[in-house]
Amino acid sequence: MSSISSYFRPALTVITLLAGLTVLFLMYYNSFPSPKCHPPPSHVQKPHTDKPVVLLWFWPENKMFDFKDCKTLFDIDSCHLTDDRSLYSKAHGVLLFHRAIQDDLSNLPTSHREKFQRWIWFNTDSPTNTRRIEGIKNLFNLTMSYRKDADIHLRWRLTLRKKTDEDFVLPKKERLLCWIVDNLDLNTAGEGYKYYKQLLKHIKVEIYDRSSDEFWKDENYFQIISSCKFYLSFENSIHKDYITEKFNGPLAAGTVPIVLGPPRINYEDFAPGNSFIHVKDFPDAASLAEFLLKLDQNNTAYMSYFNWRSFYIARRHLTEQNHEFAYAICQACYYIGLEMNSKFRVVPDLYKWFLLS
Ligand SMILES: *[C@@H]1O[C@H](CO)[C@@H](O)[C@H](O)[C@H]1NC(C)=O
């Protein structure tokens, strides 16, 4: 007997110890508040089903892309993007493309709007090209446009250079000054076109027609721009903050943009002052042309327009037709996905803000 008990005693001690430890562990574990009382911080990726739904009510210009591209292209995965209108009542955000809204508003959602739902005014145009639709003034909670003070931005931004980014190498230059034009630019009433006509008298400008298919492809667009020393980044209308991918293109391609648009100081809100040349830096087109021809002969001076690239990076925007609105739509997804943005907001007077300020 004694030999058996002496054999069991240590085993019993171990079992008792283990049981005690288990009880202690369970007590400790349960003393934590249940996760239900504490929402996870917003940077924690939530499971798919928990993501806020963002409903794209109209496909802008019918240019469709795969919503998964938000993840693959921009690493944006914080909402559930859909074009399925039957999800309307569940949608936290409803994206309404301004140009697609009918004058009588008959193609807007009509059913009850849930308290949490926010309508996003989605406008990629400048005030000049924005049609005034009566009756939409007080419908929106959020704005998405080129304006810096919009809730959601459309613009491609420069980003800080990372150590892992490749060093800048000036692309091979074969042309002096280029311009890829589309119909709006050739609107003969526009300031850009007038300036271009003046410029032509003093310097050669290589023109590329954007409507011809071959230039639409990604590589061609950036290839052409990068082969030029200077590029005309002329906006089709002039408004505060209306600085489009016409400016981003040459920055991303390694070319010096010659800008025509809002004042220099407005460009400097978005890019370093020594990254571009503003037409208003010169009294007229003749003196700008003279300056460009001089820079063409002076490599050190020309290269100084690339100094900013030690600190910042311009990324190529998407030039493929179907992706024209992808960046904007993904940005809306990102914004709605951030929990901290889910506060009450009404855009008081859309037109007063967008057209008049
Ligand atoms: C959104 O705007 C509408 C109309 O102006 C308003 O009634 C609603 O309360 C707003 N909702 C949120 C979540 O801000």
Side-chain angles (χ1 to χ4, degrees), residues 18-298:
L18 273 176
L21 276 174
T22 311
V23 168
L24 271 173
F25 172 75
L26 281 173
M27 280 166 68
Y28 172 78
Y29 184 79
N30 283 334
S31 72
F32 273 111
S34 111
K36 278 187 202 104
C37 316
H38 272 248
S42 57
H43 62 266
V44 173
Q45 198 58 262
K46 291 191 217 157
H48 179 83
T49 44
D50 276 2
K51 286 183 201 167
V53 173
V54 174
L55 170 60
L56 182 66
W57 192 255
F58 311 110
W59 276 104
E61 296 178 5
N62 228 10
K63 288 173 177 162
M64 300 188 188
F65 64 94
D66 187 340
F67 286 134
K68 288 196 200 87
D69 293 346
C70 288
K71 170 81 181 137
T72 45
L73 298 171
F74 311 115
D75 201 25
I76 292 174
D77 193 22
S78 48
C79 85
H80 174 63
L81 265 172
T82 181
D83 60 356
D84 178 357
R85 290 186 178 186
S86 72
L87 292 179
Y88 173 75
S89 62
K90 291 195 183 71
H92 287 75
V94 180
L95 267 170
L96 293 156
F97 187 62
H98 180 81
R99 247 190 277 151
I101 301 174
Q102 265 158 24
D103 283 329
D104 61 2
L105 314 186
S106 59
N107 60 354
L108 290 185
T110 49
S111 40
H112 171 72
R113 197 198 299 196
E114 296 290 346
K115 285 271 170 292
F116 57 80
Q117 187 174 84
R118 287 178 297 168
W119 287 19
I120 305 164
W121 186 61
F122 177 7
N123 183 19
T124 53
D125 294 318
S126 75
T128 299
N129 297 309
T130 298
R131 187 171 112 260
R132 207 185 163 109
I133 306 169
E134 296 309 324
I136 63 162
K137 244 169 59 168
N138 299 309
L139 284 182
F140 294 97
N141 307 93
L142 298 168
T143 55
M144 178 158 84
S145 84
Y146 277 102
R147 283 281 293 262
K148 204 168 63 172
D149 54 359
D151 301 292
I152 307 166
H153 300 266
L154 295 175
R155 190 180 296 95
W156 288 71
R157 301 253 191 180
L158 300 187
T159 51
L160 272 178
R161 165 179 284 281
K162 293 192 207 83
K163 281 206 184 83
T164 48
D165 287 321
E166 276 169 35
D167 282 340
F168 173 70
V169 180
L170 188 73
K172 196 164 170 284
K173 301 294 178 187
E174 290 158 56
R175 302 166 182 90
L176 184 60
L177 176 59
C178 312
W179 194 18
I180 299 178
V181 281
D182 52 42
N183 291 337
L184 269 176
D185 301 319
L186 288 177
N187 160 14
T188 45
E191 246 187 81
Y193 186 72
K194 276 188 227 153
Y195 200 92
Y196 157 74
K197 288 301 249 187
Q198 288 303 312
L199 212 48
L200 266 187
K201 294 180 189 160
H202 311 281
I203 194 169
K204 188 171 176 214
V205 185
E206 312 260 358
I207 291 281
Y208 297 89
D209 179 4
R210 190 159 211 175
S211 56
S212 80
D213 270 355
E214 58 185 302
F215 292 126
W216 268 112
K217 290 181 207 98
D218 240 8
E219 305 102 273
N220 278 333
Y221 173 83
F222 288 105
Q223 225 167 51
I224 290 169
I225 298 182
S226 66
S227 72
C228 314
K229 279 194 154 177
F230 304 99
Y231 181 79
L232 296 184
S233 296
F234 285 7
E235 299 299 345
N236 59 40
S237 53
I238 296 173
H239 299 279
K240 177 164 113 190
D241 299 342
Y242 190 62
I243 299 169
T244 66
E245 63 292 335
K246 288 173 181 158
F247 180 56
N248 189 67
L251 292 181
T255 296
V256 180
I258 314 290
V259 306
L260 182 148
R264 166 174 270 280
I265 191 127
N266 197 187
Y267 278 88
E268 291 182 4
D269 286 333
F270 305 104
N274 61 355
S275 63
F276 61 92
I277 294 168
H278 197 292
V279 296
K280 292 275 166 70
D281 295 342
F282 301 89
D284 51 31
S287 32
L288 169 62
E290 192 189 325
F291 181 74
L292 297 182
L293 291 167
K294 246 192 241 154
L295 271 184
D296 187 32
Q297 301 304 315
N298 183 344

